[in-house]
């Protein structure tokens, strides 16, 4: 494992409860460590390929990365205003009921919910007439 990879994994562990963009990671790199965004991007792509992190993107093209919880299946609330991504717990019974209704055998599912976070809803209200 290269030291760059180690630094990135440490950042992902430290911020395991939120998605980090390449820019976020770049800002969090400790002082005195020289890693440009291209290097971070390549390293993160590698981590994703190896299943250590997972990504989600918003309408506006923000991509966030987070440490993968193999033991903890979850979904995402994605704010299209500011790009914030929040992990939410899954309610598998809901999908199983739907699948059963269609006599469909589910193997896995992926759900991402798009909308506006609390802060962005307030901005939206202020700006509308
Ligand atoms: Zn927002
Ligand atoms: Zn689920």
């Amino acid at each position: 494992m290269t030291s760059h990879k180690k630094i990135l994994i440490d950042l992902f562990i430290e911020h395991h409860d939120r998605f980090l963009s390449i820019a976020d990671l770049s800002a969090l790199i400790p002082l005195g460590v020289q890693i440009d965004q291209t290097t971070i991007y390549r390293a993160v792509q590698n981590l994703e390929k190896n299943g250590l992190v997972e990504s989600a993107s918003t309408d506006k093209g923000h991509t966030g990365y987070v440490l993968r919880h193999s033991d903890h299946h979850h979904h995402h609330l994605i704010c299209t205003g500011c790009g914030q991504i929040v992990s939410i717990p899954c309610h598998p019974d809901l999908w199983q009921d739907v699948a059963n209704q269609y006599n469909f055998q589910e193997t896995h599912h992926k759900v991402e919910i798009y909308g506006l976070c609390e802060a962005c809803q307030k901005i939206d209200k202020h700006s509308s007439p």
Side-chain angles (χ1 to χ4, degrees):
M1 188 185 287
T2 67
S3 59
H4 287 176
K5 241 186 196 173
K6 170 95 174 67
I7 290 166
L8 289 172
I9 289 173
D10 285 348
L11 288 177
F12 279 120
I13 291 169
E14 194 181 334
H15 302 274
H16 60 90
D17 55 349
R18 68 183 184 105
F19 277 74
L20 299 169
S21 67
I22 299 297
D24 290 335
L25 287 164
S26 179
L28 289 166
I29 296 288
L31 285 174
V33 180
Q34 298 284 333
I35 316 180
D36 60 33
Q37 291 207 6
T38 312
T39 309
I40 295 173
Y41 180 77
R42 285 209 201 101
V44 170
Q45 293 289 304
N46 246 310
L47 293 176
E48 190 180 17
K49 212 169 73 186
N50 296 331
L52 287 166
V53 301
E54 61 180 310
S55 65
S57 352
T58 71
D59 293 2
K60 292 195 173 173
H62 296 279
T63 303
Y65 300 87
V66 72
L67 207 64
R68 198 188 190 96
H69 316 268
S70 53
D71 55 332
H72 174 72
H73 169 79
H74 60 274
H75 297 289
H76 304 132
L77 297 176
I78 300 170
C79 178
T80 54
C82 64
Q84 186 190 9
I85 307 171
V86 179
S87 295
I88 54 166
C90 177
H91 299 285
D93 295 353
L94 183 66
W95 317 119
Q96 261 152 35
D97 280 355
V98 174
N100 287 343
Q101 274 175 36
Y102 290 88
N103 198 22
F104 188 87
Q105 191 182 359
E106 187 201 330
T107 52
H108 62 282
H109 62 258
K110 190 175 171 171
V111 179
E112 284 173 355
I113 301 166
Y114 291 86
L116 291 173
C117 72
E118 203 178 348
C120 288
Q121 286 173 49
K122 281 176 190 156
I123 295 166
D124 218 35
K125 270 173 203 155
H126 288 309
S127 61
S128 53

